[in-house]
């Protein structure tokens, strides 16, 4: 048993060596006061603030509110982005007709669209969700369209030669070959919706949420709480990405083959 514990500890240390190095550097820099202690607290102060916030419940409230807004925006992005991606990817002439518009909005930072969404949806939760959904949908439909356009033509032609109906060709060939590219779009989209929601919470009349929590802590120089909130937000983004990787490995196990 002790041997197993030693092996598990060694595996944990190896898997987290980068994180441990960063924390060690942070500790040394803060302890030697190479940066103003008001601006950079020690890791102990930060994690202490994190645990206090967790047990008081206010961090959990903001965490779930940001997660809810991000998932809400992501679901809208998927519902809108996937059908549009399939439609545009199935017909290259249609895609070319919209290519300029697609590249224009894809190159425009979503944060630049805040004023437009505020005018349309007003100052409220849905304006934050809508702008995040817009940014996420662009990523989803671009990747879906790209996946559909790059379906192996030989497989489609072989299915047609065997007299397979068009809807079966789409389900059994096009859809399955599109899935790896679609999942890349979904993972990028969920990360982007989280980023846009955080920025929106910071700057669009929000009272709760991780973005508002971070900016409030910074304004009153509660640096341990600011770093604690940033760490909690990073954990959320990491967890979402890992969940999508697990789903992708389970449902798209043939990718790269």
């Amino acid at each position: 048993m002790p041997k197993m514990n030693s092996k598990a500890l060694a595996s944990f240390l190896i898997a987290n060596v980068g994180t441990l190095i960063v924390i060690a550097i942070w500790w040394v820099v803060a302890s030697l006061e190479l940066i103003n202690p008001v601006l950079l607290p020690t890791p102990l102060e930060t994690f202490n603030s994190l645990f206090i916030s967790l047990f008081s419940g206010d961090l959990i409230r903001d965490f779930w509110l940001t997660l809810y807004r991000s998932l809400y925006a992501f679901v809208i992005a998927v519902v809108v982005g996937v059908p549009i991606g399939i439609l545009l990817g199935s017909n290259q002439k249609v895609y070319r007709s919209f290519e300029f518009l697609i590249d224009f909005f894809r190159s425009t930072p979503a944060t630049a669209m805040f004023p437009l969404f505020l005018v349309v949806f007003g100052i409220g939760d849905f304006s934050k969700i809508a702008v995040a959904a817009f940014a996420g949908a662009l990523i989803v439909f671009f990747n879906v369209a790209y996946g559909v356009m790059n379906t192996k033509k030989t497989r489609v032609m072989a299915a047609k030669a065997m007299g397979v109906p068009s809807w079966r060709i789409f389900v059994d060939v096009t859809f399955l070959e599109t899935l790896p590219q679609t999942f890349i779009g979904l993972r990028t989209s969920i990360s982007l919706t989280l980023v846009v929601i955080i920025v929106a919470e910071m700057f669009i009349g929000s009272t709760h949420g991780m973005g508002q929590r971070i900016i409030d802590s910074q304004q009153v120089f509660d640096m341990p709480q600011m770093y604690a909130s940033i760490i909690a937000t990073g954990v959320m983004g990491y967890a979402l990405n890992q969940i999508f990787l697990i789903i992708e490995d389970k449902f798209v196990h043939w990718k790269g083959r």
Side-chain angles (χ1 to χ4, degrees):
M1 193 71 173
K3 193 174 180 180
M4 285 183 65
N5 288 337
S6 302
K7 195 174 178 181
L9 180 62
S11 299
F12 174 81
L13 291 174
I14 291 170
N16 294 281
V17 65
T19 306
L20 295 173
I21 288 173
V22 169
I23 292 176
I25 292 172
W26 176 10
W27 196 300
V28 170
V29 171
S31 299
L32 296 178
E33 299 187 359
L34 298 178
I35 296 177
N36 188 334
V38 175
L39 301 178
L40 184 68
T42 64
L44 183 61
E45 290 174 305
T46 300
F47 286 111
N48 186 45
S49 180
L50 177 63
F51 286 124
I52 290 172
S53 302
L54 279 173
F55 284 110
S56 69
D58 58 334
L59 188 142
I60 293 174
R61 177 203 60 202
D62 288 332
F63 186 93
W64 283 114
L65 189 54
T66 298
L67 182 62
Y68 160 76
R69 287 169 177 157
S70 301
L71 292 178
Y72 191 170
F74 175 70
V75 169
I76 295 174
V78 173
V79 170
V80 173
V82 171
I84 294 177
I86 292 172
L87 182 67
L88 295 182
S90 301
N91 190 321
Q92 290 204 20
K93 286 183 181 176
V94 176
Y95 182 84
R96 299 297 173 210
S97 303
F98 287 87
E99 192 171 17
F100 168 76
L101 208 56
I102 293 168
D103 286 340
F104 175 79
F105 280 115
R106 204 158 54 89
S107 306
T108 305
T111 48
M113 306 296 285
F114 280 163
L116 174 63
F117 280 82
L118 280 174
V119 169
V120 175
F121 296 106
I123 299 175
D125 255 14
F126 195 73
S127 61
K128 304 178 189 66
I129 292 167
V131 72
F134 172 77
L138 286 172
I139 299 296
V140 171
F141 88 72
F142 174 77
N143 277 278
V144 172
Y146 186 76
V148 172
M149 284 190 292
N150 284 281
T151 302
K152 289 184 179 174
K153 306 300 179 194
T154 50
R155 293 183 183 176
V156 175
M157 289 174 67
K160 283 182 179 176
M162 288 186 285
V164 178
S166 297
W167 69 271
R168 284 294 303 273
I169 293 175
F170 174 77
V171 173
D172 294 342
V173 181
T174 306
F175 178 72
L176 293 179
E177 288 213 14
T178 303
L179 277 183
Q181 190 67 37
T182 299
F183 266 92
I184 291 172
L186 295 179
R187 278 197 289 118
T188 309
S189 176
I190 189 67
S191 299
L192 186 61
T193 52
L194 175 60
V195 169
V196 175
I197 287 292
I198 291 292
V199 176
E201 287 175 346
M202 286 180 172
F203 301 110
I204 302 182
S206 185
T207 53
H208 298 297
M210 295 306 294
Q212 187 62 40
R213 189 181 186 86
I214 292 169
I215 204 74
D216 283 349
S217 304
Q218 183 265 329
Q219 287 176 346
V220 297
F221 279 85
D222 184 358
M223 292 306 175
Q225 185 53 229
M226 187 190 81
Y227 289 111
S229 301
I230 292 172
I231 290 171
T233 306
V235 168
M236 185 193 303
Y238 176 79
L240 289 172
N241 192 56
Q242 289 302 305
I243 289 170
F244 269 89
L245 278 175
I246 292 170
I247 296 172
E248 185 177 351
D249 287 342
K250 186 174 179 58
F251 289 99
V252 198
H253 49 82
W254 65 88
K255 66 178 179 179
R257 296 180 183 174

